[in-house]
Amino acid sequence: MIFAVSSANPGSRFSRANGSGWDSDRMIASHEEFREYVVTRGAALLRAANQLTGNPADAEDLLQAALTKTYVAWDRIQDRAALDGYVRRAMVNINISWWRRRKLEEYPSDEIPDIPTYQDPGHRYDELEHALNRLPARQRTAIVLRYYEDMTEPEIAKALGISVGTVKSTVSRAMAKLRGDLLIPGQRQPSG
């Protein structure tokens, strides 16, 4: 895992500082304790990070940043049972900070982007009416009963003398046709 802590000679840089007040044995023990925590809890913490970010690569970065903060504060954390909570809170705070930073990447501009020309809403209703008129009679009737008269599928089935399944498929096909007919020029057909 990316966030694993190296155990290769963990106290070497601290042993030189022993004369200036550093306790190298305590630092080595602290380092090993942190390393053991990361090894045992890393996978669960990575799952939590993935839930926060929704992206595995971002989750690894987020967990790495949170573990770095935890390592720096390791000796100050008295309640070892609260470590998961500490790391999770660090992940939430870091994620919010990153989100805010990304949000600020949008800057005002002197140039206005191309905006589609305004169309009178009445024009769109005319298009809808023409698209409805192009539907076969049963599809048009099912759409009008469902969306204009606000009838349920069983009520439409009873009114038209067909099954509920036929109502569902008829409305679905009609809606697909309407979506295709009412696409704005240059707009792609939605998939699925």
Side-chain angles (χ1 to χ4, degrees), residues 3 5 30 34 37-38 45 60-78 80 82-98 101:
F3 49 86
V5 178
S30 203
F34 178 77
Y37 171 73
V38 171
L45 293 170
E60 288 180 358
D61 291 345
L62 179 62
L63 181 56
Q64 183 69 41
L67 288 175
T68 301
K69 284 184 176 266
T70 305
Y71 184 76
V72 169
W74 189 256
D75 290 332
R76 294 189 313 264
I77 302 172
Q78 300 298 319
R80 295 294 194 221
L83 283 171
D84 280 2
Y86 183 92
V87 175
R88 282 190 171 98
R89 172 48 54 198
M91 285 192 296
V92 167
N93 291 342
I94 292 166
N95 196 44
I96 289 170
S97 174
W98 289 353
R101 193 174 308 137

Side-chain angles (χ1 to χ4, degrees), residues 11-143:
S12 62
R13 69 182 186 143
F14 299 113
S15 59
R16 290 189 298 268
N18 202 15
S20 60
W22 290 97
D23 182 358
S24 62
D25 291 337
R26 186 175 60 82
M27 294 299 288
I28 291 171
S30 203
H31 178 82
E32 284 303 314
E33 187 182 11
F34 178 77
R35 184 186 160 302
E36 184 62 30
Y37 171 73
V38 171
V39 168
T40 57
R41 298 298 301 148
L45 293 170
L46 184 59
R47 283 191 299 272
N50 200 22
Q51 289 174 340
L52 283 170
T53 64
N55 179 325
D58 290 342
E60 288 180 358
D61 291 345
L62 179 62
L63 181 56
Q64 183 69 41
L67 288 175
T68 301
K69 284 184 176 266
T70 305
Y71 184 76
V72 169
W74 189 256
D75 290 332
R76 294 189 313 264
I77 302 172
Q78 300 298 319
D79 184 9
R80 295 294 194 221
L83 283 171
D84 280 2
Y86 183 92
V87 175
R88 282 190 171 98
R89 172 48 54 198
M91 285 192 296
V92 167
N93 291 342
I94 292 166
N95 196 44
I96 289 170
S97 174
W98 289 353
W99 177 79
R100 286 179 180 154
R101 193 174 308 137
R102 278 191 298 265
K103 188 176 174 184
L104 293 176
E105 290 176 0
E106 296 178 14
Y107 298 103
S109 173
D110 290 337
E111 295 180 25
I112 298 175
D114 290 338
I115 299 173
T117 57
Y118 174 76
Q119 290 186 353
D120 178 26
H123 175 69
R124 293 299 285 176
Y125 291 123
D126 290 341
E127 287 182 39
L128 178 60
E129 188 175 324
H130 290 301
L132 277 170
N133 288 334
R134 286 192 293 270
L135 290 175
R138 183 154 74 178
Q139 287 182 358
R140 183 174 53 251
T141 304
I143 289 291

